[in-house]
Amino acid sequence: MKPKESRQAPQGTDIKEHEVADARGNSGQDEQRLAENIEKEITALKHRIWQLKGLNHSAYREERAYRGFEGKRLINIGAGAFYHRRWTNLDVSSAHYDNMRRGAHVEYNIMTDERIPFEDNSVALAYTSHTIEHIKDEYIQRMFNEVYRCLESGGIFRVTCPDADLYYAAMKMNLFDRFFHRRRAWFEKAGVVDSEVSGFDYMKMAFATALSSTPLLRHEKPELWELIQEKFRTAPKEEFLEFLSSQVNFSIPRIACHINWWTAEKVARFLRNAGFKMVRNSTYGGSLAAPMCDINLFDNTMSDESLYVEAYKV
């Protein structure tokens, strides 16, 4: 009778039961760690999306945001392509903007209409985005006066536009390449190479676009080009900006051109002149009015180059 063969593990595979258990335990721990890491990454991603959308947007819900504004008049002046069923757009008819509209608008020409076509104290919220840089001071002051008249007690007026302080600081520190690299599209469309572009060209495009038919003023008006540079070297900030924008006037065929400059201080001064006692510098998506915290609709034009000012009728 043959003796029973003992079954032995092949050489090099002498695995004990406790080692198998340890391996299974390690595998379970690895899976748990992996799950925890994935959860952390998802949380970090959610937080990043929240940051990108803006501090107020993550908490934004339309029903909640418009609570208290049912039946109220909300107006957007110079609305362009903006559309929201609860808002009334005020704008001037023009070929440039008519092509982009998505809904009806109330005809209102800031330069020729002396009154906003609404009664006193009949508007709860008013908003204007990247409009006032297209219009001269006297007409903006009249428009601000009219907004104040139309707003009800407790009403809010929010203004955003290009920030002349930011542009001026970039000019002083020669940091246009860092702050305004995407604005190169202005020049690329005209076939202008980077090496030909200076900070003065950006300033001209931002606050006096219509000074020339091409982005480079020096090619069309070299004497004025030299004078603008001299003004920048010798004049205070506001005097320089005023001189620059004073070289251009409003024109319907070139309605999209910028012909004015604004700093937060200048906007606030005009608002106070209109009668607003409470004015504050705001931030991107930082309105005190919940409806205007929706950055899918508001504050979404060149947000990193814009200023935000809010005024309250108290």
Side-chain angles (χ1 to χ4, degrees), residues 164 263 280:
T263 61
R280 75 176 184 94

PDB file of all heavy atoms in Angstrom, residues 164 263 280:
ATOM      1  N   ALA A 164     -11.647 101.859 -15.159  1.00  0.00           N
ATOM      2  CA  ALA A 164     -10.555 102.694 -15.653  1.00  0.00           C
ATOM      3  C   ALA A 164      -9.364 102.688 -14.699  1.00  0.00           C
ATOM      4  O   ALA A 164      -8.211 102.812 -15.130  1.00  0.00           O
ATOM      5  CB  ALA A 164     -11.040 104.123 -15.884  1.00  0.00           C
ATOM      6  N   THR A 263     -14.403 105.300 -13.142  1.00  0.00           N
ATOM      7  CA  THR A 263     -13.822 104.652 -11.971  1.00  0.00           C
ATOM      8  C   THR A 263     -14.951 104.463 -10.968  1.00  0.00           C
ATOM      9  O   THR A 263     -16.020 105.088 -11.097  1.00  0.00           O
ATOM     10  CB  THR A 263     -12.713 105.505 -11.340  1.00  0.00           C
ATOM     11  OG1 THR A 263     -13.291 106.765 -10.930  1.00  0.00           O
ATOM     12  CG2 THR A 263     -11.581 105.770 -12.329  1.00  0.00           C
ATOM     13  N   ARG A 280     -22.249 102.018  -2.362  1.00  0.00           N
ATOM     14  CA  ARG A 280     -21.087 101.220  -1.948  1.00  0.00           C
ATOM     15  C   ARG A 280     -20.445 100.538  -3.149  1.00  0.00           C
ATOM     16  O   ARG A 280     -21.103 100.202  -4.131  1.00  0.00           O
ATOM     17  CB  ARG A 280     -21.494 100.159  -0.923  1.00  0.00           C
ATOM     18  CG  ARG A 280     -22.244  98.984  -1.492  1.00  0.00           C
ATOM     19  CD  ARG A 280     -22.551  97.913  -0.454  1.00  0.00           C
ATOM     20  NE  ARG A 280     -23.192  96.761  -1.068  1.00  0.00           N
ATOM     21  CZ  ARG A 280     -22.550  95.678  -1.502  1.00  0.00           C
ATOM     22  NH1 ARG A 280     -21.236  95.594  -1.390  1.00  0.00           N
ATOM     23  NH2 ARG A 280     -23.200  94.669  -2.055  1.00  0.00           N
TER      24      ARG A 280
END
